[in-house]
Amino acid sequence: MIIVGGSYREVCAYPEWDRIYGSGGRAAVAVSGLAPGSVLHTYAYSGWAADVRATMASFGVRAEVVEIEKELVFEYYHPLSKEPVPKASAGLPRITVSGEVVLSFGMLEGPATVVAGRAVHDPQSDSPEAAFSASGSRAGELAYVVRDYMLAAADSSQEAMDVATRIMADEGASVVVARHAIGGASVYVGDTKPRLVPAYISDTWFKIGSGDVFCAAFAHYWGERRLDPVEAADLASRSVAHFNDGHRLPLPAPHALSALVPQPDTAHGGRVFLSGPAATLPQRWLLDQARWWLLDLGSEVFSPFHEYGERLAASAGPALAGLRACTAVLALADGGDPGTSAVIGHARAVGVPVVVLAEAVAATDLAVHAGMSCEIARDFTTALYRAHLAGMR
Amino acid sequence: MSGGPPGRRGRAPRRLQQSGDGCDLHLTVDLIGVRREAADRVREGDDLRIELVHEGAAVGAICRNGEGAVVGALAAFPGLTRLLDCLAREVPFVAHVEEVSSTRCVVTVSRTDP
């Protein structure tokens, strides 16, 4: 397979992460075992272009690198919080590739021109310049992979199906795959209703680059193995679950993915009780972030702090009543907040599942939580994911 | 916002500056392609052996546990080529295990000779 995509430095604070991947690099490593002899075409900062070549070589991937003078870095506080996208210098030479199967990603440095028998394209943005056809690319068969929010039309009378159909018409695509935030996808083929592919459960949720991995696996199974697009998307979704559990690459063969369990198939995301201290700015910031991202994942959120504000101290009764209407608790446990400890105990007593975020809590201090069958998450993103899932069960 | 870019924690785990032979490397990374069976026999605080491996024209660096099993590979970080070059010159390095689970192994790589 030929992969065209960027190589960027990715730096995350929590969990700590400082690597050179980018969509192109990650996808190439991902399929290195499934698709031996793959070739990566990429731009890379001259300061670490040799490291890109060495990394790819160690996985049996040949790297064709256009070196650039500016280091492009994606910075994250946590894997959901990508900060402003870096800007590349203008006027870089365009990458042109041709081959039987090509996976192409939109790049900060500009679009590549692709000629392929079968192509999978992820524009990475809704910019018109990132469209497959905008660079003069063409393919015998084309699958377009986008995030599901990109199928939300500006015109509210249009449905996602209409936007998918328009992409097919404009780009000449026979398949449009819309990835969901929490995993899984909707697969559009022709003018038939989309087929839903489930997300699969992983123990932890790294998230950075999960879309790249989906595209890589889909390109292999649909492009190279010529599986049905729904079947290929299902294997891609399973591959993402494997990857999410600790950024595991390269991807394994399908038989190693067969035991994965689908996420609950419910129309709603459950109702999560959010508990944590808010006495300091960092604590308040974390509460706000947790609430925001849970809502973004599709959960309803009941947060006594946000619900009652200054009346919180006098609202313990209504807050606990609210707890009984929730399907899960996310407890932000760093700092040993007595109120949160009480919520955990009450929730477990009435059978509500509890996910405890404990980034810097000693194992001995978590014994009581473990004894109450709470799920312990060591990083923020995983805690959100587990709470969202627990709420749906 | 003060305090630098959001991705940086403020400490400096990565040191790639030249000192003499250019092999004064000190960096913290997680291994790629972690093998569950080998990782399950590793504990925080263990030291893993770092070796060069050759496959055709490609050269890579892997970490082995005390029983000689491959735990995972070192790749995809700034300074990889320098590490490979130093290993090729037989400069000894060790990977000290900072965090480990069945699927993830974070190590600090540093040279061991005086």
Side-chain angles (χ1 to χ4, degrees):
Chain A
M1 188 193 308
I2 292 173
I3 299 113
V4 192
S7 292
Y8 308 120
R9 189 164 175 179
E10 301 164 345
V11 184
C12 181
Y14 304 92
E16 195 167 4
W17 174 262
D18 184 355
R19 307 306 288 261
I20 304 168
Y21 276 112
S23 296
R26 182 175 284 102
V29 173
V31 297
S32 59
L34 300 170
S38 291
V39 180
L40 170 67
H41 293 259
T42 189
Y43 298 94
Y45 169 55
S46 56
W48 37 253
D51 298 322
V52 172
R53 292 188 186 93
T55 295
M56 293 304 142
S58 69
F59 288 95
V61 175
R62 182 162 59 87
E64 299 289 340
V65 180
V66 176
E67 295 194 18
I68 61 175
E69 293 308 309
K70 183 177 178 183
E71 184 179 35
L72 299 172
V73 185
F74 285 89
E75 300 268 2
Y76 305 78
Y77 276 116
H78 54 77
L80 291 169
S81 75
K82 188 157 60 182
E83 292 297 310
V85 174
K87 283 189 167 36
S89 304
L92 296 170
R94 175 168 292 195
I95 293 175
T96 300
V97 300
S98 64
E100 187 50 39
V101 179
V102 177
L103 166 62
S104 62
F105 293 97
M107 293 182 281
L108 298 174
E109 296 89 341
T113 299
V114 172
V115 178
R118 273 195 165 192
V120 173
H121 182 67
D122 177 351
Q124 302 262 293
S125 80
D126 47 13
S127 158
E129 293 79 36
F132 187 73
S133 62
S135 60
S137 294
R138 58 185 192 278
E141 287 183 272
L142 173 65
Y144 231 72
V145 182
V146 297
R147 265 297 312 278
D148 49 4
Y149 69 80
M150 293 167 72
L151 296 190
D155 176 355
S156 60
S157 68
Q158 283 194 316
E159 294 188 354
M161 177 81 203
D162 300 320
V163 181
T165 305
R166 196 179 68 228
I167 290 174
M168 291 182 203
D170 291 350
E171 297 298 321
S174 54
V175 179
V176 172
V177 181
R179 294 189 298 104
H180 304 158
I182 198 76
S186 300
V187 181
Y188 299 80
V189 181
D191 56 2
T192 58
K193 281 189 172 180
R195 297 275 302 277
L196 289 179
V197 169
Y200 291 86
I201 294 173
S202 55
D203 288 340
T204 61
W205 199 37
F206 184 75
K207 187 70 175 73
I208 294 174
S210 58
D212 309 331
V213 171
F214 184 98
C215 290
F218 183 80
H220 171 66
Y221 291 115
W222 178 79
E224 293 192 303
R225 302 270 294 270
R226 296 192 165 252
L227 299 185
D228 168 84
V230 175
E231 194 179 350
D234 185 76
L235 284 168
S237 181
R238 290 171 184 269
S239 298
V240 167
H242 172 90
F243 163 81
N244 282 343
D245 202 358
H247 196 280
R248 281 193 289 174
L249 295 177
L251 295 175
H255 66 79
L257 304 170
S258 58
L260 289 166
V261 176
Q263 290 178 16
D265 181 18
T266 59
H268 65 88
R271 183 172 170 84
V272 178
F273 186 103
L274 176 60
S275 180
T280 66
L281 177 63
Q283 291 171 341
R284 168 66 190 274
W285 181 87
L286 191 64
L287 264 183
D288 286 347
Q289 283 276 305
R291 180 172 177 272
W292 167 260
W293 287 111
L294 281 169
L295 290 168
D296 191 63
L297 290 175
S299 286
E300 291 180 42
V301 180
F302 179 74
S303 165
F305 174 80
H306 294 94
E307 191 77 19
Y308 301 115
E310 293 176 351
R311 296 177 290 112
L312 179 60
S315 303
L320 287 178
L323 169 60
R324 283 188 283 275
C326 290
T327 50
V329 169
L330 173 57
L332 309 179
D334 286 307
D337 177 46
T340 298
S341 296
V343 166
I344 293 171
H346 190 82
R348 293 308 298 138
V350 296
V352 175
V354 175
V355 176
V356 176
L357 170 62
E359 287 186 292
V361 181
T364 49
D365 294 340
L366 290 170
V368 66
H369 299 121
M372 288 191 288
S373 300
C374 298
E375 292 186 48
I376 310 295
R378 289 295 192 174
D379 72 272
F380 180 63
T381 309
T382 295
L384 296 170
Y385 170 74
R386 301 299 303 188
H388 176 72
L389 283 186
M392 290 199 299
R393 285 186 210 125
Chain B
M1 183 182 298
S2 63
R8 322 294 168 116
R9 283 205 196 178
R11 57 193 169 113
R14 197 177 296 272
R15 190 169 69 237
L16 301 172
Q17 284 73 29
Q18 301 276 353
S19 80
D21 61 0
C23 294
D24 184 18
L25 306 174
H26 184 91
L27 46 95
T28 300
V29 293
D30 60 326
L31 302 181
I32 298 180
V34 170
R35 299 185 182 179
R36 185 182 292 266
E37 301 77 20
D40 283 343
R41 304 181 78 83
V42 172
R43 298 286 174 266
E44 283 183 19
D46 286 357
D47 285 337
L48 306 181
R49 199 166 75 245
I50 302 177
E51 284 182 9
L52 273 185
V53 289
H54 299 264
E55 193 162 317
V59 181
I62 57 166
C63 292
R64 294 185 188 273
N65 66 17
E67 296 162 343
V70 176
V71 180
L74 290 162
F77 56 85
L80 171 64
T81 46
R82 190 180 299 177
L83 174 65
L84 295 176
D85 176 61
C86 294
L87 288 168
R89 287 190 273 139
E90 300 188 338
V91 176
F93 285 87
V94 70
H96 184 75
V97 177
E98 307 286 355
E99 295 174 38
V100 66
S101 69
S102 294
T103 58
R104 191 159 191 250
C105 185
V106 181
V107 298
T108 294
V109 174
S110 57
R111 67 188 296 173
T112 55
D113 56 351

